[in-house]
Amino acid sequence: MTKELYNELYQITFAGQILDGFSEAEVRDNVKALFRISDERTASLFSGAPQTLKSRLSLADAQIYHERLTKAGAQVQISAQTAPAATPERDTGTAPPPASPESRQRNTDATGPLQETPLEFTGSGREYFGIWIVNILLTIVTLGIYSAWATVRNNQYFYGNTRMDGASFQYLASPITILKGRLIALAVLVAYVVLSDLYVEAAVVFAIVFIPLVPWIMVRSLRFNAVNSAYRNIRFGFQGSYGQAFMVAFVWPLLNLLTLLLLTPLVMKKTHEFIANGSCYGTTEFQLKAETGMYYRFFGKGLLIAIAFGVAAFLAMRYVGFTVGSIIAAVGYLTLFGYFMAGIANLFLNSVHLDSHNFESRLQPPQMVWIFLSNSFLVVITLGLFTPWAKVRMARYRAACTSMLVSGDLNHFVAAEQNRTSALGQELGDAFDVDFAAI
């Protein structure tokens, strides 16, 4: 066989030795948790005989495995191996790849086992209150100029306290960039108000000219928010086009009106596709894999809920009393509110894939309604002072109901992205931090 048919690969070997500062029991527990293996298999790894834990790795991947196992207290070795390039990769050992202790096996498909890696929000209302109140006071004192710094501090707090697989998300935007974008928006608004007072015709022309800018602002906003978000030092990105944004902003809504709202589920799907398919993590693109029928079934069920409560409220008002009918109508509204608030997020996240990885959202409508109502009540009776606790409470629940289903090893995925994105430019452009999201 010729030399070209071989690639230089590496393997991780372990002979049961532990590093200084660790006890054997501690290392056994760490290795067992990392590899998710039985007590018998763990004992065999510590028998003293050299064993291959993982083979056919690139040097970067082997170094990641070495780091994870070293932190667990295991003295492992990286050694080179030569293997045919055309042969599919396989492990010579029987242990699965390392994962965080909180990850657990969910199911198996053609690409390998999916490990459920849950999100976790670690912030507290008391801690966030200090950031929130200072942001408000400084924004007032500076006549709104500090609002850009307030936005960054808020996002950094919520990103930094959202963790997955032992790592936090990052928000990297510059307050100066956001301030410049807001000053431009303010200048445009002032110009429009002045023109409206002086020349009505000029104001109309101004509004007409502004309409084509809406899709451009949508794309810039999504791109800015994405590229300033990162996980494990890899930035997200958004590559959606102006034409796609124009369809979502104008064409599909217009067609929906012309068909008497019969296209509402399709319009929602097109919006989700625009956001998901245009997004990427490093150089790997997200993809929405959902059938149009799923959206029609979701909205159809919502319509049936609305009709059922509407008929019940009408009959109660006519034959029982206005109060009873009003109560039924209120319960129906809250039921519908929770159904869409939780259901749209579940529908979107459960349909999103990132390469061979996907996501799971398990938000419950009753819980969402309860958190929303109780938060609103407490914010009102505390004259707004409960707001930090309300935001933290909702963020904690959303994170607790969201997981990433990782195919194989997330470390391998991250290492590959770091290698491929290291040479990418970091031109962020102007900030248009407009809130435009799928859920």
Side-chain angles (χ1 to χ4, degrees):
M1 187 175 294
T2 62
K3 185 177 180 179
E4 289 76 9
L5 293 178
Y6 289 84
N7 287 331
E8 190 71 12
L9 299 174
Y10 297 84
Q11 64 185 8
I12 301 292
T13 57
F14 177 57
Q17 297 178 331
I18 63 175
L19 297 173
D20 294 338
F22 293 87
S23 66
E24 182 175 343
E26 180 183 5
V27 177
R28 283 175 179 263
D29 290 341
N30 290 341
V31 171
K32 178 182 177 182
L34 285 171
F35 281 78
R36 303 178 303 280
I37 53 179
S38 65
D39 291 334
E40 292 76 10
R41 176 57 179 148
T42 303
S44 68
L45 292 178
F46 288 82
S47 64
Q51 299 186 52
T52 300
L53 300 182
K54 190 74 175 178
S55 63
R56 302 185 57 77
L57 299 171
S58 66
L59 180 58
D61 293 343
Q63 289 172 341
I64 289 177
Y65 277 92
H66 185 276
E67 180 183 359
R68 293 290 296 272
L69 288 162
T70 298
K71 289 181 178 180
Q75 183 174 327
V76 295
Q77 304 294 329
I78 298 178
S79 58
Q81 66 175 126
T82 304
T87 303
E89 180 181 348
R90 62 182 181 87
D91 293 340
T92 57
T94 58
S100 61
E102 66 268 22
S103 299
R104 59 188 185 276
Q105 185 168 327
R106 286 279 305 206
N107 55 6
T108 303
D109 59 13
T111 61
L114 291 180
Q115 308 300 327
E116 182 180 5
T117 307
L119 266 67
E120 178 188 12
F121 186 77
T122 59
S124 68
R126 182 177 181 180
E127 184 180 52
Y128 178 55
F129 178 82
I131 297 174
W132 177 79
I133 195 67
V134 170
N135 283 346
I136 291 179
L137 294 176
L138 290 178
T139 299
I140 294 174
V141 170
T142 60
L143 302 179
I145 293 177
Y146 187 79
S147 64
W149 280 262
T151 296
V152 171
R153 290 189 68 196
N154 282 334
N155 288 341
Q156 286 179 342
Y157 181 81
F158 280 93
Y159 276 56
N161 282 284
T162 302
R163 299 177 61 82
M164 184 178 72
D165 198 32
S168 298
F169 288 82
Q170 303 160 276
Y171 186 73
L172 308 172
S174 166
I176 296 297
T177 306
I178 294 178
L179 180 61
K180 290 178 181 178
R182 291 183 178 179
L183 290 177
I184 293 173
L186 179 61
V188 172
L189 178 61
V190 170
Y192 176 74
V193 172
V194 172
L195 286 174
S196 298
D197 291 338
L198 298 178
Y199 309 102
V200 177
E201 296 82 0
V204 173
V205 173
F206 190 95
I208 294 175
V209 172
F210 181 76
I211 290 176
L213 292 178
V214 172
W216 182 78
I217 293 176
M218 289 170 55
V219 172
R220 298 295 295 185
S221 172
L222 288 167
R223 184 171 299 160
F224 178 81
N225 289 328
V227 80
N228 283 293
S229 304
Y231 176 70
R232 292 188 174 180
N233 296 319
I234 299 176
R235 291 180 185 258
F236 292 83
F238 185 77
Q239 303 170 348
S241 67
Y242 176 89
Q244 293 169 332
F246 188 86
M247 293 291 294
V248 168
F250 298 117
V251 177
W252 286 112
L254 178 60
L255 291 176
N256 194 28
L257 289 176
L258 294 177
T259 57
L260 303 178
L261 304 183
L262 292 177
L263 295 182
T264 299
L266 181 60
V267 173
M268 177 65 72
K269 182 192 176 187
K270 292 297 182 181
T271 303
H272 284 178
E273 285 180 339
F274 167 65
I275 296 175
N277 296 348
S279 301
C280 58
Y281 176 57
T283 57
T284 303
E285 298 177 353
F286 288 88
Q287 185 178 7
L288 185 79
K289 297 182 179 180
E291 298 178 357
T292 304
M294 294 172 56
Y295 285 81
Y296 272 93
R297 287 191 293 272
F298 173 76
F299 276 89
K301 185 177 179 180
L303 180 61
L304 291 177
I305 293 173
I307 292 175
F309 276 100
V311 171
F314 173 77
L315 294 176
M317 287 181 181
R318 184 167 184 176
Y319 297 107
V320 180
F322 180 80
T323 301
V324 176
S326 298
I327 293 175
I328 294 176
V331 172
Y333 171 78
L334 293 176
T335 301
L336 206 60
F337 176 79
Y339 174 78
F340 280 100
M341 191 176 183
I344 290 177
N346 292 340
L347 183 61
F348 176 76
L349 290 175
N350 292 336
S351 301
V352 171
H353 294 252
L354 179 64
D355 194 20
S356 57
H357 316 289
N358 49 45
F359 301 86
E360 183 176 64
S361 178
R362 302 175 299 275
L363 296 173
Q364 299 297 319
Q367 187 70 10
M368 291 288 285
V369 171
W370 165 246
I371 293 176
F372 177 81
L373 288 180
S374 56
N375 279 350
S376 301
F377 174 75
L378 291 172
V379 168
V380 170
I381 66 173
T382 60
L383 302 179
L385 293 178
F386 188 77
T387 299
W389 283 269
K391 291 184 176 181
V392 166
R393 189 182 177 200
M394 183 61 78
R396 183 178 294 119
Y397 176 67
R398 284 185 175 275
C401 295
T402 306
S403 301
M404 182 175 183
L405 304 180
V406 180
S407 176
D409 187 0
L410 187 59
N411 283 336
H412 172 80
F413 173 75
V414 171
E417 290 306 303
Q418 287 175 333
N419 292 335
R420 286 187 288 177
T421 61
S422 59
L424 292 181
Q426 299 297 337
E427 182 181 356
L428 305 184
D430 297 328
F432 289 92
D433 54 325
V434 181
D435 187 12
F436 182 77
I439 56 178

